[in-house]
């Protein structure tokens, strides 16, 4: 093997090692959590010695001399991780929360976990003594408020707590950092509710904080709509026809049920701004509709990160820092939002058949360690035949219908690399799925370099005609265009394409 090939191999081994270390550290944190709940000490000398001896026996001969040194370091890191104060996000069902990732970016002063509890388990949790505090999400923000000894003014006024701190004085303190997060989100997006008529969709704990924030920002009128209230989702178009700012505080449109929206924004003809507290997916159906209607928009990830920053300050005991968020802190919040968007959103490639999407997708997946989904390959696995076979034997419409089903299956997920078929842009219903949770890369190549083997539509219509039909759609969907001229080989194409993406801020 050449030196370059060996370096690729060791890069892959390092990614596997980092993934294993991340998994081991997460399990160590969970072990520390259980020990704290059971009142057991973190350090168990006898167990570590027994474990080390077992690892030496299992090790291959080449690494046996290094096992003790390596694992003594690993054990030391695990102990330090377990001994840190423990905080968590508390909810009923939290399959895809970003909160641990956010807090791990902000600080290494504490560890952070996920707690899923039923209502009858809350009292025992609050009295466990194992945690320094919680962030609280649906549906427990009012339950948390009822269990706090001391409520700060914002939390008391809106009867909603999303940050709990167990004080050294034995008291339980409740804060509402959602209010700050919401106001920060609107301000960052250039949305000013001052003097405007506002409509809040939903009437739970998050809606209370949002209503309170709108009031602080000088909204002229604030109305709430929910399923079974006086203003509901049937009469809201009449009662609130003059709404100028609308905020979604319902979980409708949240992953995994992303293909839902609670209202039709086009029926609010005076509305100029829309915000959604949902952050997964990054572009909800309502956000996409608002954007298409020319409204100013704000997504929930900024609110989530901003409230988490304020929570983090309370968790480390810096109440002054929580109360006075500096411009520098604001820039940090925005940086973390960008970091999370880069990590959590898919990278989805579109472009003409044979432009190199699959080749570039494989390289991005190799560099990032992300899962790669080639929708053409996924199609063959799902339907037992290739796209070209379906087109040839059953017609293009049959293929496109199947392609849309695949898009709805794979595109709402997070953190993947996806290579799409060249014609996925030809169906308007695919736009929602493509924009839902992806940064979209348009791979643009000269028409004379495009491959045409096993491509029945190219053979039927010709590459120039297909390009003319799709060009505006590619460009309209793209977040980034990778425009690479004819190259002498695949390596040269990949080198220029990756350079373009790195200049655009991709972590490759």
């Amino acid at each position: 093997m050449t030196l370059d090939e060996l370096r690729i191999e060791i890069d892959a081994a390092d990614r596997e090692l980092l993934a294993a270390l991340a998994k081991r550290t997460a399990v160590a944190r969970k072990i520390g959590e259980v020990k704290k709940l059971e009142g057991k000490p973190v350090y168990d000398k006898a167990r570590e010695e027994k474990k080390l001896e077992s690892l030496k026996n299992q090790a291959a001969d080449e690494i046996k001399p290094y096992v003790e040194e390596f694992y003594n370091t690993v054990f030391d890191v695990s102990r330090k991780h377990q001994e840190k104060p423990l905080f968590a996000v508390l909810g009923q069902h939290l399959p895809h929360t970003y909160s641990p990732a956010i807090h791990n970016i902000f600080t290494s002063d504490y560890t952070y976990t996920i707690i899923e509890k039923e209502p009858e388990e809350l009292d025992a949790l609050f009295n466990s003594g194992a945690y320094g505090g919680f962030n609280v999400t649906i549906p427990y923000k009012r339950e948390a408020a009822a269990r706090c000894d001391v409520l700060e003014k914002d939390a008391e006024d809106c009867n909603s707590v999303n940050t709990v701190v167990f004080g050294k004085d034995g008291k339980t303190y409740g804060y509402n950092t959602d209010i700050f997060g919401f106001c920060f989100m609107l301000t960052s997006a250039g949305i000013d509710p001052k003097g405007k008529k506002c409509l809040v969709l939903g009437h739970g704990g998050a809606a209370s904080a949002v209503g309170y924030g709108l009031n602080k920002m000088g909204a002229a009128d604030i109305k709430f709509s929910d399923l079974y209230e006086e203003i509901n989702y049937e009469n809201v178009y009449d009662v609130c026809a003059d709404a100028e700012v609308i905020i979604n505080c319902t979980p409708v449109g949240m992953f995994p049920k992303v293909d839902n929206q609670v209202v039709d924004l086009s029926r609010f003809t005076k509305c100029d701004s829309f915000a959604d507290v949902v952050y997964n997916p990054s572009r909800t159906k309502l956000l996409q509709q608002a954007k298409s209607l020319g409204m100013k928009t704000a997504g929930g990830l900024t609110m989530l990160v901003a409230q988490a920053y304020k929570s983090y300050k309370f968790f480390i005991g810096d109440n002054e820092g929580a109360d006075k968020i500096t411009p520098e802190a604001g820039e940090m919040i925005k940086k973390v939002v960008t970091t999370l968007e880069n990590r959590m959103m898919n990278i989805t490639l579109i472009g003409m058949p044979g432009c190199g999407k699959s080749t570039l997708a494989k390289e991005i997946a190799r560099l990032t360690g992300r899962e790669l989904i080639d929708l053409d390959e996924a199609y063959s696995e799902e339907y037992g035949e290739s796209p070209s076979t379906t087109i040839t034997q059953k017609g293009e419409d049959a293929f496109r219908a199947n392609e849309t089903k695949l898009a709805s299956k794979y595109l709402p997920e997070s953190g993947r690399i996806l290579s799409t078929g060249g014609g996925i842009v030809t169906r308007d219903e695919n736009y929602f799925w493509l924009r839902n949770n992806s940064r979209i890369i348009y791979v643009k190549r000269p028409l004379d370099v495009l491959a045409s083997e096993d491509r029945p539509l190219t053979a039927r219509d010709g590459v120039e005609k297909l390009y003319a039909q799709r060009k505006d759609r590619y460009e309209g969907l793209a977040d980034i265009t990778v425009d690479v001229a004819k190259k002498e080989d695949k390596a040269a194409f990949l080198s220029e394409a990756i350079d373009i993406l790195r200049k655009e801020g991709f972590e490759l």
Side-chain angles (χ1 to χ4, degrees):
M1 295 181 74
T2 67
L3 183 58
D4 285 343
E5 288 171 335
L6 288 168
R7 283 172 173 164
I8 289 173
E9 196 168 312
I10 205 166
D11 286 347
D14 282 338
R15 285 195 296 272
E16 291 175 10
L17 187 60
L18 285 171
L21 184 59
K23 182 177 180 179
R24 194 187 194 284
T25 303
V27 174
R29 185 241 309 143
K30 292 176 183 177
I31 290 171
E33 183 179 2
V34 172
K35 286 179 177 178
K36 287 173 182 176
L37 285 166
E38 296 180 355
K40 294 179 178 178
V42 167
Y43 184 42
D44 186 338
K45 182 179 180 182
R47 172 167 170 74
E48 282 196 10
E49 290 175 348
K50 185 177 180 181
K51 178 74 172 176
L52 185 57
E53 192 62 32
S54 173
L55 289 165
K56 287 180 184 177
N57 292 334
Q58 295 175 55
D61 290 338
E62 188 173 3
I63 66 168
K64 202 178 287 286
Y66 313 112
V67 167
E68 184 168 355
E69 180 182 1
F70 178 79
Y71 269 97
N72 277 333
T73 301
V74 170
F75 291 159
D76 184 50
V77 168
S78 293
R79 284 195 300 272
K80 288 178 180 176
H81 201 57
Q82 291 175 354
E83 287 168 352
K84 289 178 180 179
L86 179 63
F87 292 84
V89 57
L90 167 64
Q92 193 167 22
H93 303 292
L94 300 167
H96 295 280
T97 178
Y98 292 175
S99 291
I102 295 169
H103 284 268
N104 285 332
I105 294 172
F106 278 140
T107 185
S108 60
D109 289 344
Y110 54 77
T111 57
Y112 196 94
T113 190
I114 296 168
I115 303 174
E116 294 180 315
K117 294 291 183 183
E118 295 301 319
E120 62 272 16
E121 299 175 291
L122 294 182
D123 285 336
L125 175 67
F126 271 72
N127 294 323
S128 68
Y131 304 92
F134 314 123
N135 286 123
V136 185
T137 188
I138 296 171
Y140 295 138
K141 295 184 179 186
R142 286 177 176 158
E143 292 275 5
R147 287 169 171 79
C148 291
D149 302 308
V150 181
L151 294 177
E152 54 103 28
K153 186 177 185 303
D154 284 352
E156 184 175 18
D157 287 349
C158 65
N159 189 32
S160 177
V161 162
N162 80 309
T163 302
V164 173
V165 176
F166 298 108
K168 294 180 180 179
D169 58 3
K171 294 181 179 179
T172 302
Y173 291 82
Y175 306 91
N176 193 304
T177 65
D178 278 337
I179 297 167
F180 165 74
F182 171 70
C183 295
F184 186 94
M185 172 179 73
L186 290 197
T187 301
S188 298
I191 297 174
D192 185 1
K194 186 175 182 179
K196 292 186 176 181
K197 295 180 178 180
C198 301
L199 169 62
V200 180
L201 306 174
H203 212 169
S208 296
V210 164
Y212 190 84
L214 288 170
N215 189 57
K216 289 181 74 170
M217 295 179 78
D221 181 55
I222 305 166
K223 288 187 170 64
F224 296 84
S225 176
D226 213 342
L227 277 172
Y228 304 112
E229 300 204 5
E230 183 177 347
I231 302 176
N232 53 59
Y233 300 132
E234 292 183 2
N235 65 17
V236 67
Y237 303 107
D238 298 320
V239 179
C240 302
D242 56 353
E244 298 166 279
V245 178
I246 298 176
I247 302 96
N248 177 46
C249 293
T250 77
V252 177
M254 184 185 293
F255 183 88
K257 297 180 181 180
V258 299
D259 193 19
N260 291 316
Q261 60 187 84
V262 71
V263 294
D264 178 1
L265 294 176
S266 68
R267 297 178 65 178
F268 299 96
T269 56
K270 294 187 178 181
C271 184
D272 58 37
S273 302
F274 173 78
D276 201 328
V277 303
V278 171
Y279 58 87
N280 184 17
S282 58
R283 297 166 177 161
T284 63
K285 200 160 194 177
L286 277 172
L287 271 176
Q288 290 193 40
Q289 185 185 28
K291 196 78 173 177
S292 72
L293 293 169
M295 298 179 187
K296 291 182 180 179
T297 60
L301 186 59
T302 298
M303 177 176 172
L304 180 73
V305 174
Q307 69 79 26
Y309 179 85
K310 194 174 178 78
S311 295
Y312 137 68
K313 287 294 185 179
F314 283 127
F315 288 162
I316 64 173
D318 184 8
N319 287 24
E320 183 177 347
D323 289 337
K324 297 178 181 178
I325 307 295
T326 63
E328 292 75 17
E331 289 305 310
M332 181 187 294
I333 291 167
K334 293 176 183 177
K335 185 176 180 180
V336 173
V337 170
T338 300
T339 299
L340 283 172
E341 285 177 339
N342 288 338
R343 289 183 187 177
M344 303 303 184
M345 293 178 74
N346 299 315
I347 296 175
T348 298
L349 284 71
I350 62 173
M352 285 289 287
C355 69
K357 297 188 297 294
S358 296
T359 299
L360 181 55
K362 288 176 183 176
E363 181 67 4
I364 296 171
R366 184 187 73 79
L367 291 169
T368 61
R370 294 191 188 195
E371 180 185 10
L372 171 63
I373 303 291
D374 186 308
L375 288 185
D376 281 347
E377 293 178 4
Y379 185 97
S380 298
E381 292 176 9
E382 186 85 9
Y383 298 107
E385 61 187 24
S386 69
S388 60
T389 299
T390 303
I391 293 169
T392 302
Q393 297 182 358
K394 301 172 185 174
E396 183 179 359
D397 286 346
F399 166 68
R400 294 295 174 212
N402 289 342
E403 184 180 51
T404 296
K405 291 177 185 177
L406 272 186
S408 69
K409 178 179 178 179
Y410 288 107
L411 285 164
E413 295 282 354
S414 296
R416 289 171 159 175
I417 310 298
L418 294 112
S419 175
T420 66
I424 195 170
V425 301
T426 61
R427 276 202 165 199
D428 291 345
E429 55 262 54
N430 291 336
Y431 278 40
F432 166 70
W433 301 112
L434 287 164
R435 288 182 171 134
N436 189 239
N437 211 25
S438 294
R439 295 181 74 187
I440 301 174
I441 298 172
Y442 167 32
V443 183
K444 184 178 180 181
R445 305 297 307 285
L447 298 186
D448 61 352
V449 307
L450 302 181
S452 58
E453 307 84 38
D454 197 29
R455 304 184 190 279
L457 297 181
T458 302
R460 184 191 72 191
D461 297 332
V463 68
E464 290 82 5
K465 182 177 179 180
L466 285 182
Y467 179 67
Q469 291 170 347
R470 299 173 183 179
K471 173 181 178 293
D472 290 344
R473 290 175 175 261
Y474 290 140
E475 293 176 352
L477 277 165
D479 295 307
I480 305 293
T481 297
V482 173
D483 190 346
V484 180
K486 184 182 291 188
K487 295 293 177 182
E488 62 272 16
D489 55 30
K490 181 174 75 173
F493 160 66
L494 287 175
S495 177
E496 183 167 334
I498 294 299
D499 282 346
I500 292 170
L501 292 175
R502 283 177 173 150
K503 288 175 183 176
E504 292 288 348
F506 285 79
E507 296 177 352
L508 303 174

